[in-house]
């Protein structure tokens, strides 16, 4: 109990320091110098990401929680999906961390496929897993740069159960497709027990009550419970356009 309290106290102090720092007046030179260096850091992450990711070939991004344990059925399902994707000619991109991300990379590695990890530097719970190809592990400081890589170099998206980060990545992809900023790639969500409640709310409230989305937006995702069905949706989409992975 004391350890938990001490940890919460430390977090509260850190949060307060961040808030105070945000309200400290800075002169123009301080702002210009700090912002200029930040721009160079962002550029460096984009350059490294583009250079490495442009060579990977057709891949599917798998999103999901970093907290999912190996004995969880969703971990095992993510591993199975990744293995099937590789057998069907795709590589796998994950966030590079533990949990569902580890399962995705593990499944890809087991089948000898390309296993990409886009790792984010966080103060807790994120270290890259051991199943990423050595030359395809990329570290990021900025979430928005990392999300560009997820979307730009994926031919489809598989969403496993996860937290805020998973929802962020899911709705980023949905928004870009809805606004036609990217092509309408397949988005497959796995786990109807997990996702149905969210999309029931989206349909009832966002669509019917508030009219904040269009009826066709409900077709942006498909919810499944089976690994073979998830992979079939992606395969069927590309076969319709007479396309196939070309590793």
């Amino acid at each position: 109990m004391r350890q938990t309290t001490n940890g919460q106290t430390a977090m509260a102090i850190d949060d307060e320091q961040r808030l105070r720092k945000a309200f400290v007046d800075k002169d123009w030179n301080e702002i210009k110098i700090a912002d200029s260096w930040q721009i160079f850091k962002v550029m460096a992450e984009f350059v490294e990401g583009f250079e490495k990711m442009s060579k990977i070939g057709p891949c599917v991004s798998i999103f999901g929680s970093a907290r999912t344990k190996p004995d969880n059925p969703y971990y095992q399902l993510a591993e199975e999906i990744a293995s099937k994707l590789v057998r069907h000619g795709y590589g796998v991109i994950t966030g590079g961390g533990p949990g569902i991300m580890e399962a995705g990379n593990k499944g890809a590695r087991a089948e000898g496929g390309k296993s990409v990890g886009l790792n984010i530097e966080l103060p807790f719970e994120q270290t890259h897993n051991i199943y990423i190809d050595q030359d395809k592990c990329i570290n990021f400081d900025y979430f928005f740069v990392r999300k560009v890589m997820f979307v730009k170099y994926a031919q489809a998206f598989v969403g496993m159960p996860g937290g805020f980060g998973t929802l962020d990545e899911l709705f980023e992809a949905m928004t870009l497709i809805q606004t036609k900023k990217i092509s309408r790639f397949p988005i497959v969500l796995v786990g109807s027990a997990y996702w149905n409640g969210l999309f029931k709310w989206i349909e009832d409230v966002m669509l019917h009550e508030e009219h904040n989305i269009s009826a066709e937006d409900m077709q942006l995702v498909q919810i499944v419970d089976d690994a073979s069905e998830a992979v079939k949706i992606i395969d069927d989409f590309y076969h319709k356009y007479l396309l196939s992975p070309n590793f």
Side-chain angles (χ1 to χ4, degrees):
M1 178 70 74
R2 183 179 301 132
Q3 190 175 25
T4 302
T5 302
N6 288 343
Q8 291 173 339
T9 301
M11 288 178 63
I13 292 171
D14 185 55
D15 287 343
E16 183 177 345
Q17 289 174 341
R18 287 172 181 266
L19 285 170
R20 290 183 179 279
K21 186 177 180 181
F23 283 96
V24 171
D25 287 335
K26 300 182 179 71
D27 63 37
W28 172 243
N29 282 333
E30 287 180 292
I31 295 171
K32 186 170 65 171
I33 291 170
D35 288 352
S36 295
W37 277 112
Q38 193 167 36
I39 289 170
F40 285 119
K41 287 177 65 180
V42 170
M43 288 173 60
E45 289 198 359
F46 272 121
V47 169
E48 181 186 8
F50 288 158
E51 284 185 348
K52 290 188 176 181
M53 297 293 287
S54 63
K55 305 169 186 174
I56 63 170
C59 283
V60 175
S61 286
I62 298 179
F63 305 137
S65 175
R67 305 184 187 191
T68 306
K69 303 302 181 187
D71 60 353
N72 187 301
Y74 287 126
Y75 182 106
Q76 296 156 14
L77 192 52
E79 186 177 346
E80 182 183 357
I81 289 170
S83 293
K84 286 180 180 294
L85 285 169
V86 167
R87 291 199 292 271
H88 284 245
Y90 302 93
V92 170
I93 302 171
T94 79
I100 294 294
M101 296 173 280
E102 177 184 284
N105 290 125
K106 184 178 180 182
R109 170 70 66 83
E111 294 294 325
K114 295 188 179 182
S115 180
V116 183
L118 308 180
N119 193 49
I120 187 77
E121 300 290 342
L122 296 176
F124 56 92
E125 86 177 19
Q126 178 90 0
T127 56
H128 71 79
N129 66 70
I130 62 173
Y131 301 104
I132 304 167
D133 294 343
Q134 189 171 3
D135 62 333
K136 299 179 185 68
C137 182
I138 311 173
N139 292 308
F140 296 90
D141 283 322
Y142 299 100
F143 272 107
F144 70 92
V145 179
R146 180 179 181 241
K147 284 198 293 184
V148 169
M149 305 303 157
F150 269 129
V151 174
K152 181 175 175 62
Y153 294 102
Q155 275 63 55
F157 311 102
V158 174
M160 303 296 298
F164 291 155
T166 300
L167 293 178
D168 179 40
E169 290 151 354
L170 167 63
F171 282 105
E172 175 87 5
M174 290 175 65
T175 300
L176 291 171
I177 292 173
Q178 181 206 44
T179 56
K180 304 188 187 305
K181 293 296 183 181
I182 62 172
S183 300
R184 187 166 179 167
F185 298 134
I187 301 177
V188 183
L189 301 182
V190 181
S192 58
Y194 193 86
W195 295 110
N196 277 348
L198 171 63
F199 280 86
K200 181 69 164 61
W201 176 85
I202 290 174
E203 183 176 18
D204 290 347
V205 179
M206 292 180 70
L207 175 60
H208 294 307
E209 289 185 20
E210 299 296 336
H211 311 291
N212 289 330
I213 60 173
S214 302
E216 56 266 26
D217 293 334
M218 296 301 300
Q219 307 306 314
L220 292 175
V221 303
Q222 297 185 64
I223 300 174
V224 303
D225 289 297
D226 178 76
S228 295
E229 189 177 0
V231 176
K232 184 177 185 301
I233 288 171
I234 296 169
D235 270 346
D236 287 350
F237 176 86
Y238 284 106
H239 288 158
K240 181 171 66 177
Y241 295 103
L242 303 178
L243 299 172
S244 62
N246 59 355
F247 282 159

